[in-house]
């Protein structure tokens, strides 16, 4: 992230001997991006983080990490409404995710679980951006504890050993990147500070604030790579970091802290941009004043995104531009490039006397075509594409 953070005990100088009160030397780990050329953090372990007692392959898993869920091209080209409420609940917030849409840049999954603690997990293919739709949880990692709740975005850097723990029903929208997720560069100064025109800033971000220390021997961690899932059994519990500092760490941001940009006429989706990753962007739609020109058309105009597929997750509120389509809270709309999409019939008339929106949604725009899994096709409303015909 674009600011320095320090947690726990670290030595005054980098790469120097650091011991506890009994003379035991801590093991330094540099966790960095882009080959020592970008953000990094230094972590200090009580034991060697490389010490393993076993390595094994993990069989096919239908969720986000395994090989069983296959995404195939959208043919014939069809806009779709995916109903996440019809996806079966699982037991593990990581391994029981349902992969819905994917390409080589990004994967979109849905997770719904009762109160559970996930397996220890390390995604080595890229960062994860998780949106908490329902429930509260703690992201526990080598960086410490990060409490999150409904409406939070959570960024988990690639190769972070972590787990999700919750004692209530937890619903997560998971965006897995092939690289790194960050705030848009247009919001940042050359030094990495949020600029004055940015719709959120450092004060809105939350990070772990204390070490998380656990004891244990022969602790399994599931690791995802592009080849599939492996299991590394660590000789000592990976949550043994007494302190760390740097600019790379998990962080959370409440969608309600996104400050919408409004105008007298309808503003295009880039004003809602919140994150960017390789081959995709993520936007936040939050309650805002409607366009205030006396002749403004307040609902989105029909548009053909010639270079991107558009996915919207409907989190909360009344989605006026989708009235009559069957879309509601928990729905996902998928409008592929090549389909000219816009508001449902009657949306303009319903908006005339309104002065503000009351909806919350997360949008994923990709710049390469998305493919669909069988899970996505199974929960799709087959009549959605006819909903503009009224």
């Amino acid at each position: 992230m674009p600011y320095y953070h320090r947690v726990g005990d670290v030595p005054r100088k980098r790469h120097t001997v650091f011991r506890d009160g009994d003379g035991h030397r801590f093991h330094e780990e540099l966790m960095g991006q882009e080959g020592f050329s970008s953000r990094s953090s230094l972590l200090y372990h009580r034991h060697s983080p490389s010490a393993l007692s076993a390595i094994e392959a993990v069989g096919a898993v239908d969720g986000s990490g395994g090989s069983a869920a296959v995404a195939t091209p959208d043919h014939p080209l069809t806009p779709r409404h995916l109903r996440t409420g019809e996806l079966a609940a699982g037991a593990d917030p990581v391994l029981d995710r349902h992969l819905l849409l994917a390409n080589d840049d990004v994967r979109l999954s849905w997770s719904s679980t009762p109160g559970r603690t996930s397996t220890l997990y390390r995604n080595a293919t890229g960062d994860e951006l998780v949106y908490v739709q329902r429930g509260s949880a703690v992201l526990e990692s080598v960086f410490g504890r990060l409490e999150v709740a409904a409406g939070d975005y959570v960024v988990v850097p690639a190769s972070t050993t972590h787990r999700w723990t919750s004692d209530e029903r937890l619903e997560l929208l998971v965006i897995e990147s092939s690289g790194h997720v960050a705030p848009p560069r247009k919001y940042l100064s050359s030094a990495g500070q949020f600029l004055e025109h940015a719709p959120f800033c450092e004060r809105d971000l939350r990070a772990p604030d204390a070490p998380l220390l656990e004891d244990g021997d022969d602790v399994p961690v599931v690791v995802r790579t592009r080849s599939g899932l492996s299991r590394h059994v660590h000789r000592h519990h990976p949550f043994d970091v007494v302190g760390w500092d740097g600019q790379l760490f998990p962080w959370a941001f409440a969608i309600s802290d996104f400050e919408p940009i409004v105008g007298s006429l309808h503003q295009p989706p880039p004003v809602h941009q919140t994150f960017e990753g390789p081959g995709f962007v993520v936007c936040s739609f939050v309650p805002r004043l409607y366009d205030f020109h006396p002749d403004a058309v307040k609902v989105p105009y029909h548009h053909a995104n010639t270079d991107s597929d558009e996915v919207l997750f409907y989190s909360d509120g009344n989605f006026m531009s989708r009235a009559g389509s069957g879309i509601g809270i928990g729905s996902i709309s998928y409008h592929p490039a090549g389909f000219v999409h816009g508001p449902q019939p009657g949306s303009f008339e319903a908006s005339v006397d309104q002065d503000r929106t009351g909806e919350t949604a997360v949008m994923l725009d990709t710049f390469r075509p998305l493919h669909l899994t069988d899970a996505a096709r199974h929960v799709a409303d087959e009549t959605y594409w006819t909903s503009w015909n009224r």
Side-chain angles (χ1 to χ4, degrees):
M1 262 313 297
Y3 65 89
Y4 171 84
H5 195 58
R6 174 173 170 168
V7 167
D9 296 324
V10 300
R12 191 182 72 83
K13 296 286 288 184
R14 296 182 297 175
H15 317 315
T16 59
V17 175
F18 181 35
R19 302 182 187 273
D20 65 14
D22 297 324
H24 173 80
R25 184 177 65 85
F26 294 114
H27 297 261
E28 187 180 52
E29 175 198 359
L30 176 70
M31 183 172 173
Q33 297 176 340
E34 300 178 13
F36 302 92
S37 300
S38 186
R39 289 188 291 269
S40 66
S41 284
L42 276 169
L43 300 91
Y44 294 86
H45 294 262
R46 295 188 295 189
H47 307 283
S48 167
S50 303
L52 302 178
S53 55
I55 297 176
E56 57 190 16
V58 176
V61 176
D62 287 331
S64 68
S67 58
V70 177
T72 57
D74 179 30
H75 182 76
L77 189 72
T78 307
R80 300 175 192 266
H81 165 204
L82 310 182
R83 297 167 291 200
T84 62
E86 296 183 7
L87 292 165
D92 190 305
V94 170
L95 297 183
D96 292 333
R97 296 170 179 173
H98 294 279
L99 179 65
L100 300 174
L101 300 161
N103 61 24
D104 288 342
D105 300 319
V106 65
R107 293 155 55 97
L108 180 75
S109 301
W110 176 255
S111 170
S112 176
T113 55
R116 289 288 191 276
T117 296
S118 76
T119 186
L120 284 166
Y121 183 58
R122 184 186 307 131
N123 187 342
T125 65
D127 295 354
E128 293 189 355
L129 173 62
V130 180
Y131 178 76
V132 183
Q133 169 62 10
R134 177 177 177 178
S136 59
V138 178
L139 178 76
E140 298 179 335
S141 76
V142 290
F143 294 93
R145 301 174 77 255
L146 180 59
E147 296 185 4
V148 299
D152 277 342
Y153 288 111
V154 189
V155 177
V156 186
S159 290
T160 297
T161 304
H162 69 280
R163 68 187 175 200
W164 294 86
T165 180
S166 178
D167 58 5
E168 58 186 284
R169 184 172 188 82
L170 190 63
E171 294 180 353
L172 306 174
L173 183 76
V174 184
I175 298 171
E176 299 171 74
S177 171
S178 64
H180 302 305
V181 175
R185 283 164 286 184
K186 65 184 180 182
Y187 296 157
L188 304 177
S189 73
S190 59
Q193 182 179 8
F194 279 102
L195 296 168
E196 281 295 300
H197 70 273
F200 60 105
C201 72
E202 289 86 354
R203 296 183 186 183
D204 299 316
L205 311 183
R206 311 193 311 275
D209 58 6
L212 175 61
L213 297 173
E214 292 193 17
D215 294 316
D217 298 325
D218 297 328
V219 179
V221 177
V222 173
V223 183
R224 182 182 168 217
T225 66
R226 287 171 175 81
S227 300
L229 294 180
S230 301
R231 182 177 290 109
H232 284 184
V233 181
H234 287 249
R235 290 190 59 193
H236 306 283
H237 203 294
F239 292 170
D240 69 342
V241 175
V242 299
W244 60 270
D245 73 335
Q247 290 186 298
L248 181 64
F249 48 85
W251 53 280
F253 163 63
I255 196 171
S256 59
D257 282 328
F258 185 89
E259 301 299 336
I261 298 170
V262 300
S264 62
L265 298 174
H266 191 79
Q267 299 296 297
V271 304
H272 306 286
Q273 189 180 348
T274 314
F275 302 97
E276 63 185 10
F280 69 92
V281 299
V282 174
C283 299
S284 301
F285 295 91
V286 298
R288 61 175 176 82
L289 292 175
Y290 266 135
D291 321 311
F292 45 86
H293 187 284
D295 293 324
V297 177
K298 300 173 183 177
V299 295
Y301 36 76
H302 289 82
H303 51 288
N305 292 348
T306 59
D307 296 316
S308 62
D309 286 358
E310 179 185 288
V311 178
L312 263 169
F313 173 72
Y314 300 84
S315 177
D316 193 31
N318 177 26
F319 311 104
M320 186 169 59
S321 65
R322 292 281 165 257
S325 67
I327 282 176
I329 293 173
S331 292
I332 294 175
S333 64
Y334 157 72
H335 296 156
F339 169 66
V340 180
H341 56 282
Q344 310 299 136
S347 298
F348 168 76
E349 291 78 8
S351 72
V352 170
D353 295 327
Q354 304 296 315
D355 64 357
R356 66 189 63 221
T357 72
E359 62 190 40
T360 301
V362 175
M363 185 172 78
L364 168 68
D365 268 8
T366 68
F367 301 107
R368 285 200 278 187
L370 286 164
H371 292 178
L372 290 88
T373 63
D374 286 345
R377 290 181 170 88
H378 180 71
V379 298
D381 176 0
E382 296 299 331
T383 66
Y384 175 65
W385 65 272
T386 70
S387 62
W388 286 269
N389 294 344
R390 292 187 286 111

